[in-house]
Structures are given as structure tokens and as C-alpha cells.
Amino acid sequence: MVELLLQRDYQADIKPKMLGKALIGAAKHRFFKLVQRLISISEVDINFTDTNQRTPLMHAFDKGHINVRILLCVCVRERECACVVSRASER
């Protein structure tokens, strides 16, 4: 799904919105691997908000998705998510 979004040629203002909405959906529904893939893309705004001004982290928090919350929190602090996640999984 992510690869399809990235391959298409969208207007400059549409692509970030689509990726942001995808991140919110993945965080809300605990699709950990999809969240991980999306936040590794530099164009994705981790603090993207929906129409209710809620971020992916807020959705994950409300749903109790602890692993997704940790992943998003780490990425907010350190944009190089892939390095942080891979180091954590090696332990």
C-alpha cells in the first residue's frame, strides 16, 4: 500500500495528506509494521492531524496500542526511526 502511494505522481499538497491519513489509520488500528514503514519515509509528518486535530500518537494512545505509542514517541524525539527501532529489536 505504501509503495503504491509513493509511486504515484500527486500534486505537491496531496501526497503529504495521503501519507498522514495512512499513518493515522495505521496507528489507530495497531498496524505496527505499517506505522514503522510510514515513519521511515521523510515526507511523512508524524504530527499530522485529522479533522479533529488528533495526531497518530493520540489515536494510538486512545486505543491502548502501547507498541505503536512507543514507536511514535521515539520518532517524535529522533527522526531517524529506522535506526532506533532496529537497535531496540537487536536486544
Side-chain angles (χ1 to χ4, degrees):
M1 179 178 100
V2 175
E3 306 311 323
L4 184 62
L5 288 173
L6 294 174
Q7 289 174 1
R8 302 261 330 242
D9 248 351
Y10 297 103
Q11 292 175 338
D13 62 331
I14 292 177
K15 191 173 185 178
K17 289 178 186 175
M18 290 181 69
L19 292 170
K21 288 179 181 183
L23 181 58
I24 284 178
K28 187 188 291 189
H29 298 290
R30 197 182 358 177
F31 296 141
F32 183 82
K33 295 267 185 205
L34 184 54
V35 170
Q36 193 174 24
R37 174 67 179 106
L38 284 165
I39 61 179
S40 71
I41 301 167
S42 63
E43 297 165 298
V44 174
D45 179 4
I46 295 169
N47 294 310
F48 180 83
T49 55
D50 61 15
T51 55
N52 296 316
Q53 301 303 305
R54 296 168 47 84
T55 65
L57 181 58
M58 291 174 178
H59 284 285
F61 185 83
D62 286 348
K63 298 289 185 176
H65 304 323
I66 295 170
N67 289 342
V68 172
R69 289 190 330 223
I70 291 169
L71 184 61
L72 289 168
C73 285
V74 167
C75 290
V76 167
R77 290 189 61 191
E78 217 177 295
R79 187 58 200 188
E80 294 181 16
C81 309
C83 296
V84 174
V85 172
S86 63
R87 275 188 264 135
S89 64
E90 290 173 2
R91 295 183 187 151

